[in-house]
Amino acid sequence: GDVYKRQMSDAPLRIRGLFEPMALPAAVTQFFFMMAYGVIEVYVAIYAASCGLPGGGVYFIFIALATVATRILLGRAVDRYGEARLVYSGNAAIVAGILLLVFAHNVPCYLLSAVLLGYSFGAIQPSLQTMAMHAVAPERRGAASSTFFVAFDSGIALGGFLAGALVKYLNYDLMFLWMIVPCMLSWGYYYVCLLYTSDAADEEDSV
């Protein structure tokens, strides 16, 4: 035990030890998704006040309830059906939530928007995290997790920065609509990765 601890403490810290390329498909997909999701969480309270809607606290409660319900109800769906259905439906849900938030300034649609966002996060985040873990050997799961959550946090940071810049020149409605772009990038990047993985698998089977 002491020898193991000494070896661990003497081991040099390397970037390779913190970064796992095989986790990039999941990490980049999550990065684009979090650009949009993080912006809504940051700005929705200000936006709601400007539209005469209930405070952001109510919105966040509905997001949290929908997220928990999604994870409970769909917890085994990833293992049974794979993550693709949840990634696609999650990105579709956040786009629908943004459109409701922007175009329907009434309480029912406002709360439905929160439920859709909660579903999107509850569906996508655990699905992609599972995808990242399955893409690597057991001893590389720590690095895969690090790669995934760096992308997660970076998406929130970049999305917030871009939204702040957009708000200076556009109104909140247009800024939120622009957040549909990273959602589409998340969907498109994942789709391309899935096609590439399928083609690679078909080539291996044909050999």
Side-chain angles (χ1 to χ4, degrees):
D2 293 337
V3 174
Y4 176 76
K5 290 179 181 178
R6 263 200 312 276
Q7 289 175 343
M8 290 295 291
S9 62
D10 294 340
L13 183 63
R14 298 175 180 174
I15 297 298
R16 168 64 180 168
L18 301 175
F19 174 74
E20 175 50 63
M22 295 299 294
L24 280 177
V28 174
T29 303
Q30 183 73 24
F31 168 81
F32 286 128
F33 173 80
M34 291 310 299
M35 283 181 65
Y37 183 84
V39 165
I40 296 170
E41 285 208 325
V42 170
Y43 286 98
V44 72
I46 302 172
Y47 181 73
S50 70
C51 297
L53 294 167
V58 176
Y59 195 84
F60 295 139
I61 289 173
F62 273 77
I63 285 180
L65 291 174
T67 299
V68 171
T70 299
R71 291 184 175 180
I72 292 173
L73 296 174
L74 300 180
R76 296 182 180 178
V78 177
D79 295 328
R80 182 175 298 179
Y81 303 111
E83 76 283 340
R85 296 182 185 182
L86 297 181
V87 173
Y88 291 143
S89 65
N91 272 303
I94 192 173
V95 170
I98 291 172
L99 293 174
L100 276 176
L101 190 64
V102 170
F103 292 113
H105 294 168
N106 58 71
V107 174
C109 289
Y110 174 69
L111 298 180
L112 178 57
S113 168
V115 170
L116 288 169
L117 259 72
Y119 168 80
S120 68
F121 184 75
I124 285 183
Q125 190 268 330
S127 300
L128 291 176
Q129 190 174 357
T130 300
M131 176 183 171
M133 296 302 103
H134 287 172
V136 299
E139 64 271 17
R140 293 295 297 165
R141 286 177 181 167
S145 181
S146 172
T147 303
F148 181 82
F149 282 106
V150 166
F152 184 105
D153 293 335
S154 298
I156 295 174
L158 181 60
F161 173 78
L162 293 176
L166 287 171
V167 164
K168 291 183 179 179
Y169 305 102
L170 306 172
N171 57 34
Y172 282 103
D173 287 334
L174 290 176
M175 182 272 287
F176 281 130
L177 288 176
W178 269 105
M179 289 304 107
I180 292 176
V181 173
C183 297
M184 299 307 295
L185 290 173
S186 175
W187 184 91
Y189 180 82
Y190 177 81
Y191 179 73
V192 170
C193 288
L194 206 61
L195 283 180
Y196 177 80
T197 303
S198 299
D199 290 343
D202 289 341
E203 289 180 5
E204 289 183 3
D205 291 340
S206 63
V207 173

